[in-house]
Amino acid sequence: MAKGINRADAAAGVLLTLAGSVFGAQSLGLEIGTALRMGPGYFPLVLAVILMLLGLLILAAALRTPGEPTGATAWRGMMFILPAPIVFGLTVRGLGFVPSVFLTTLVAAMASARMRILPALALALAVTVFCTLVFSYGLGLPFQRFGPWVRF
Amino acid sequence: MDLLSNLALGFATAASPENLLFCLIGVILGTLIGVLPGIGATATIAMLLPITFQLEPVSSLIMLAGIYYGAQYGGSTTAILINMPGESSSAVTAIDGYQMARQGRAGTALAVAALGSFFAGTVATLLVAIFAPPLTAIALRFGAAEYFSLMLLGLVSAVALAHGSVLKALGMVVLGLLLGLVGTDIYTGTPRFTFGIPAYADGLNFVALAVGVFGIAEILRNLEGQQDRTILGASLGALWPTRAEFRRMVPPVLRGTALGSALGILPGGGAILASFASYTVEKRLSKTPEAFGKGAIEGVAGPESANNAGAQTSFIPLLTLGIPANPVMALMVGAMIIQGIVPGPNVATEQPALFWGIIASMWIGNLMLIVLNLPLIGLWVRLLKVPYNILFPVIMAFCSIGVYSVNSNVYDLYAVAAFGLMGYVLVKLRCEPAPLLLGFVLGPMLEENLRRAMILGRGDPATFVTRPISATLLGLTLIVLVVVLLPAVRRKRAEVFVEEG
């Protein structure tokens, strides 16, 4: 058996242990209650302890097994895909539905290294027109098409 | 006959023009997204879930069921055409289906998959209709202790069927349970784990979690490589199987249907197990086992039927007990709750039109798939050629609009981003997200039943083992847990999943 540690498993173990301790610490701040009348903190505390134990077991096992390559990481993807819904959330009330969809699509489109700016703009425009027709006019979702920030 | 009048009510509901339309839209949308490489049924449903919320409960669930069948069929299509199964249950189809496609018999493989699925779907729908009412009657006698034990069994079985490490899958379940508890405690009204954000007092949005962990994580994973997909340029070949091929596919379809129907009822993703079991059985029984892996028609017909029958019968625990057997059913529970329906044995008696309408729509959905999709195969193939960098921005826009439309809460959108990151990290660390979603849905139910059982049992945990049904369920849970942790079984299990990948 090759030497070394399984980094992915070790990281998973550490993360689960951390998550367990965060939930555990928070549960301690809640009323625990008794087994008969469980308070809001009882069940979460039990789960948090189990999660911490599982995390430690995974970590311990990872230190004894060799690692495997994890492959490329989509850094550029994360930089643009994850902010897309946030952009939508930040602008949908102020700018309104139409500009917000346009911005969201544009930001998401930048996640691909192969996307050029002009096709991205064209794509965003097409998606905006389509979504406005389908969701706003078609399904009648109660969103303002243009919000207070862009009203004249 | 009760069954006939019930089915008549169901078909009357499902065959109303607007429900037929929604079923049709669901099937088409489901196939459309499901055909995208690497996006399986769970991710597809998570993304399309919000679209259905504007509809009446019956129509919305019928459309969701349609999306489910469509997505599953789309997954088989990519498995056969580009050797890229969207879901592990169609991974088996890829083995022989892709080989058939390389031999210029892609059309036949797709038709066999569709015909087998349709037959299996018909049988399984009938089984659901026959077995749901008596099981509902039993379920009505279930108390809190039984529910708790049953959910525990479901969660542990989900772990047993997840890929990779058992410990990590257990961790995912527990993490999911904890995330499910975020929000106001129902007994005392105390906010829990909300970090002072009032928008999270009602709990984390289920749609945001599903879209983030399944949809967005999937997109990020697909953005890693950015290599060109090789799609078979060759023609599809003949669509309809020849008479000889037809005769070869009948026995595997029958066996697959039987296997799938039985295994689908099991909690924890029976469809995956069913397609594997069917493939193994066909290979064992075949006179020419060496043909398997080189384009054997039996290797497509059996597993595809098994997987569809399993997908159908996995509705049984959902409709009778309100307990999801797999992540897709967990999404269904989420959809029902958002629609104001409490899943459980009462649905059948209180809303017979809804209950039987869904069952009838299963069959209609399967019929639509075969009537529409076989002629449309050419279109789906062309869709596979659309570059990915045009598709995912569109998906992102739809996801954002969809999540926001659920309850116009911008915090849900921030949660999507957070869950997307979490989902991607989990994928990178080789943690299966399916048990997490199951835990998330069952978390509040599990806690409520635990607390109620303890109060009813006067604080004595023995209540779980003195009640016979509960004790049996707990015993089964223990057996499953011990079995998956046994070293010998662990090795065998690893082999099975290696073969799949």
Side-chain angles (χ1 to χ4, degrees):
Chain A
M1 205 175 185
K3 271 192 180 172
I5 60 167
N6 189 331
R7 282 171 196 277
D9 278 12
V14 171
L15 281 180
L16 289 182
T17 313
L18 276 178
S21 37
V22 170
F23 275 107
Q26 292 256 319
S27 311
L28 287 177
L30 299 164
E31 188 203 330
I32 303 294
T34 62
L36 172 59
R37 294 214 168 268
M38 294 183 185
Y42 194 104
F43 191 53
L45 184 63
V46 173
L47 288 178
V49 171
I50 297 176
L51 188 59
M52 281 166 67
L53 288 177
L54 284 171
L56 291 175
L57 278 175
I58 293 166
L59 181 62
L63 297 179
R64 288 183 287 112
T65 46
E68 308 156 55
T70 44
T73 306
W75 292 115
R76 188 185 170 105
M78 280 200 271
M79 255 169 60
F80 291 100
I81 288 291
L82 294 179
I86 298 180
V87 166
F88 190 78
L90 290 175
T91 57
V92 69
R93 294 242 170 98
L95 287 175
F97 182 77
V98 176
S100 192
V101 171
F102 183 80
L103 281 177
T104 306
T105 318
L106 196 62
V107 171
M110 300 320 290
S112 168
R114 289 200 228 142
M115 189 57 111
R116 309 238 171 273
I117 186 72
L118 273 178
L121 283 169
L123 178 67
L125 192 68
V127 171
T128 309
V129 171
F130 179 80
C131 287
T132 311
L133 288 178
V134 169
F135 292 102
S136 192
Y137 289 97
L139 290 174
L141 296 190
F143 305 145
Q144 284 189 312
R145 281 176 207 121
F146 290 93
W149 296 352
V150 286
R151 214 169 285 145
F152 311 106
Chain B
M1 257 292 268
D2 241 11
L3 179 67
L4 286 183
S5 64
N6 283 334
L7 279 177
L9 171 67
F11 276 100
T13 314
S16 80
E18 57 167 335
N19 284 343
L20 275 182
L21 177 70
F22 288 124
C23 188
L24 176 70
I25 298 176
V27 168
I28 292 181
L29 277 180
T31 317
L32 202 72
I33 310 283
V35 147
L36 305 180
I39 297 183
T42 317
T44 307
I45 297 175
M47 287 173 190
L48 295 176
L49 198 56
I51 301 178
T52 65
F53 291 152
Q54 316 299 325
L55 310 172
E56 292 284 300
V58 185
S59 311
S60 126
L61 287 171
I62 286 178
M63 184 167 163
L64 268 179
I67 292 173
Y68 180 29
Y69 309 133
Q72 232 181 5
Y73 181 78
S76 314
T77 308
T78 45
I80 290 169
L81 290 177
I82 55 172
N83 198 14
M84 234 178 153
E87 195 97 341
S88 37
S89 59
S90 50
V92 189
T93 313
I95 307 175
D96 277 286
Y98 183 62
Q99 292 305 323
M100 282 181 77
R102 285 185 55 181
Q103 296 159 7
R105 288 154 69 208
T108 314
L110 289 167
V112 165
L115 291 170
S117 298
F118 177 67
F119 175 78
T122 309
V123 173
T125 303
L126 210 59
L127 287 177
V128 176
I130 294 170
F131 285 112
L135 279 173
T136 309
I138 298 173
L140 280 172
R141 286 201 302 247
F142 270 34
E146 283 78 16
Y147 266 107
F148 177 81
S149 307
L150 184 68
M151 280 186 250
L152 220 53
L153 175 62
L155 288 172
V156 169
S157 314
V159 168
L161 292 169
H163 298 226
S165 151
V166 174
L167 283 178
K168 281 201 281 188
L170 275 175
M172 286 299 102
V173 166
V174 179
L175 185 62
L177 288 171
L178 279 166
L179 288 173
L181 296 182
V182 172
T184 312
D185 172 44
I186 44 160
Y187 281 78
T188 58
T190 322
R192 296 191 285 185
F193 316 118
T194 55
F195 297 98
I197 301 170
Y200 293 137
D202 289 335
L204 295 170
N205 187 323
F206 165 76
V207 180
L209 179 95
V211 167
V213 170
F214 284 96
I216 294 192
E218 204 70 58
I219 291 178
L220 287 173
R221 218 170 48 97
N222 283 323
L223 282 171
E224 276 172 6
Q226 282 269 341
Q227 74 275 55
D228 287 309
R229 301 191 300 271
T230 46
I231 297 155
L232 291 166
S235 70
L236 288 165
L239 202 57
W240 285 95
T242 62
R243 197 171 269 268
E245 284 172 325
F246 204 77
R247 223 170 291 142
R248 274 173 66 195
M249 72 176 262
V250 169
V253 165
L254 292 176
R255 284 190 289 261
T257 305
L259 263 175
S261 304
L263 292 173
I265 309 173
L266 293 183
I272 306 166
L273 195 66
S275 52
F276 272 105
S278 164
Y279 192 79
T280 322
V281 166
E282 292 314 322
K283 201 170 168 180
R284 286 257 159 88
L285 289 178
S286 170
K287 288 191 197 86
T288 52
E290 65 279 0
F292 278 76
K294 300 195 187 85
I297 200 165
E298 294 91 344
V300 177
E304 273 298 297
S305 319
N307 139 16
N308 204 44
Q312 215 83 282
T313 50
S314 61
F315 271 94
I316 292 179
L318 174 74
L319 289 173
T320 55
L321 300 165
I323 291 180
N326 56 43
V328 172
M329 293 303 124
L331 288 164
M332 291 275 182
V333 170
M336 287 170 103
I337 292 172
I338 290 174
Q339 290 280 4
I341 305 163
V342 182
N346 291 324
V347 176
T349 46
E350 281 165 16
Q351 288 172 297
L354 176 95
F355 183 85
W356 291 100
I358 294 173
I359 292 180
S361 81
M362 292 177 184
W363 188 76
I364 294 180
N366 274 296
L367 183 69
M368 282 185 178
L369 266 183
I370 199 156
V371 174
L372 283 169
N373 278 350
L374 280 185
L376 286 180
I377 281 175
L379 180 72
W380 305 135
V381 174
R382 222 165 306 148
L383 194 74
L384 278 172
K385 293 180 180 155
V386 174
Y388 195 63
N389 43 15
I390 292 188
L391 287 175
F392 73 82
V394 181
I395 298 176
M396 284 310 298
F398 283 7
C399 287
S400 306
I401 298 169
V403 170
Y404 184 64
S405 71
V406 177
N407 38 16
S408 298
N409 183 350
V410 290
Y411 280 95
D412 289 346
L413 290 159
Y414 309 147
V416 166
F419 284 130
L421 180 64
M422 186 177 95
Y424 186 58
V425 170
L426 291 180
V427 168
K428 286 268 108 187
L429 299 182
R430 293 202 176 80
C431 294
E432 276 279 302
L436 178 99
L437 185 71
L438 222 48
F440 180 80
V441 172
L442 290 180
M445 291 192 237
L446 196 66
E447 185 189 27
E448 199 190 325
N449 283 298
L450 172 68
R451 282 160 90 169
R452 204 182 301 152
M454 288 306 272
I455 292 174
L456 292 174
R458 299 178 197 291
D460 184 2
T463 178
F464 292 104
V465 287
T466 49
R467 299 173 65 115
I469 300 179
S470 170
T472 316
L473 292 168
L474 281 183
L476 283 173
T477 311
L478 203 66
I479 293 172
V480 173
L481 203 57
V482 169
V483 165
V484 292
L485 288 171
L486 281 179
V489 180
R490 259 163 85 175
R491 266 197 302 279
K492 186 84 192 150
R493 194 170 154 277
E495 274 168 31
V496 171
F497 285 121
V498 164
E499 215 173 286
E500 170 190 328

